[in-house]
Amino acid sequence: MTTSGSYDFTGYQVLVVGGTRGEGHTIASSFAASGASVTVTGTMMLRSLYDSDLSAFDYESVNLARQDSIDNLVGLVDHIDVLVLAASCHLPFGLPAGEQAFIAEAVRSGLLGPTFLTTRLRLKLSKSPALGGGCVVNTGAVRAWLELSSTPEAAHAQLVDTTARAGEQWAGLGVRVNSVTQAPRTVLPRQYAPSAPVGGSRVAGGTLVRTQQQRVGDAVADAALFLASSAASRITGHTLRVG
């Protein structure tokens, strides 16, 4: 169970990149339940193409592997208090190796992907009147983009380092930058892994039990709301591990 009721984000404008499903959708729903006006992004042109209920949010389409798509999204943003980066990396199937290598290097250099979007929005975030200023929350999805050109361990180290440097450099703008990542999970042998229906929960003795994925998703959402709240107004440059 999330603690969204513990926070009041009334009047906040929140952008959750990748908020159409999974962890991002949980985060977006938690902010909306706390009073924020939330916009979510996805890669599809229409919100109706998603199975998730997006009725509580505004919707915009963006492809983080294209600068023109990122620029278009930035142009649509008038005011923003919180930016949550939860869009996993999904490159087109069958992408030529040379083009994939180019995208990977551009992401690593901050010329594409979540880091580029954050940089393009930094001045708009700096205008937020929220206590502590505008807030950026990276999730583990950002690490997936960095893994295009490095190992998971190196990508995690880069995320931690990038978060710390951005937190220090952007403090003068009044923008806080933090990250929330999952701790490594133990993979059960296939024959012992519990099965679950499509809804993500299973029934045990007549009781609905939340799966590990759901619990971790809730924990990430709770951490994101905390980092965006006034209680964390002095916290920047940190990476929290949950799960």
Side-chain angles (χ1 to χ4, degrees):
M1 179 179 298
T2 65
T3 59
S4 58
S6 302
Y7 302 100
D8 182 5
F9 286 102
T10 302
Y12 279 62
Q13 296 289 333
V14 178
L15 175 62
V16 181
V17 182
T20 56
R21 55 167 63 98
E23 199 170 85
H25 188 266
T26 300
I27 294 171
S29 299
S30 297
F31 271 109
S34 299
S37 296
V38 181
T39 298
V40 299
T41 76
T43 56
M44 298 185 184
M45 292 302 298
L46 302 174
R47 75 165 75 205
S48 59
L49 297 175
Y50 289 95
D51 294 331
S52 305
D53 181 9
L54 305 181
S55 59
F57 321 120
D58 289 327
Y59 176 79
E60 298 293 346
S61 175
V62 67
N63 182 345
L64 294 181
R66 294 178 51 189
Q67 279 194 2
D68 59 339
S69 182
I70 294 174
D71 288 339
N72 180 67
L73 175 63
V74 172
L76 294 172
V77 175
D78 181 36
H79 172 78
I80 183 173
D81 299 294
V82 180
L83 171 64
V84 180
L85 296 161
S88 295
C89 176
H90 296 294
L91 298 183
F93 179 76
L95 193 68
E99 188 170 348
Q100 181 168 336
F102 170 79
I103 293 176
E105 178 59 25
V107 170
R108 190 191 68 78
S109 302
L111 300 177
L112 280 179
T115 301
F116 182 68
L117 174 61
T118 306
T119 302
R120 295 284 282 109
L121 285 172
R122 71 189 187 284
L123 294 181
K124 295 186 179 184
L125 282 161
S126 71
K127 297 178 182 178
S128 171
L131 183 63
C135 175
V136 177
V137 180
N138 301 308
T139 71
V142 176
R143 185 175 59 204
W145 285 88
L146 298 174
E147 288 176 9
L148 286 174
S149 57
S150 62
T151 65
E153 294 76 13
H156 177 76
Q158 184 177 350
L159 176 60
V160 172
D161 179 66
T162 300
T163 301
R165 284 190 288 107
E168 179 180 357
Q169 294 172 358
W170 292 12
L173 291 174
V175 179
R176 298 184 295 114
V177 182
N178 295 289
S179 297
V180 182
T181 64
Q182 298 180 18
R185 290 179 292 178
T186 301
V187 178
L188 297 174
R190 186 176 182 84
Q191 64 268 33
Y192 297 120
S195 60
V198 175
S201 299
R202 58 191 175 89
V203 175
T207 302
L208 193 64
V209 180
R210 298 185 68 76
T211 64
Q212 173 67 11
Q213 182 177 5
Q214 284 178 306
R215 291 193 296 270
V216 171
D218 285 345
V220 171
D222 289 345
L225 264 66
F226 165 71
L227 289 171
S229 72
S230 58
S233 62
R234 295 180 179 276
I235 298 177
T236 189
H238 291 270
T239 298
L240 305 182
R241 297 184 66 173
V242 301

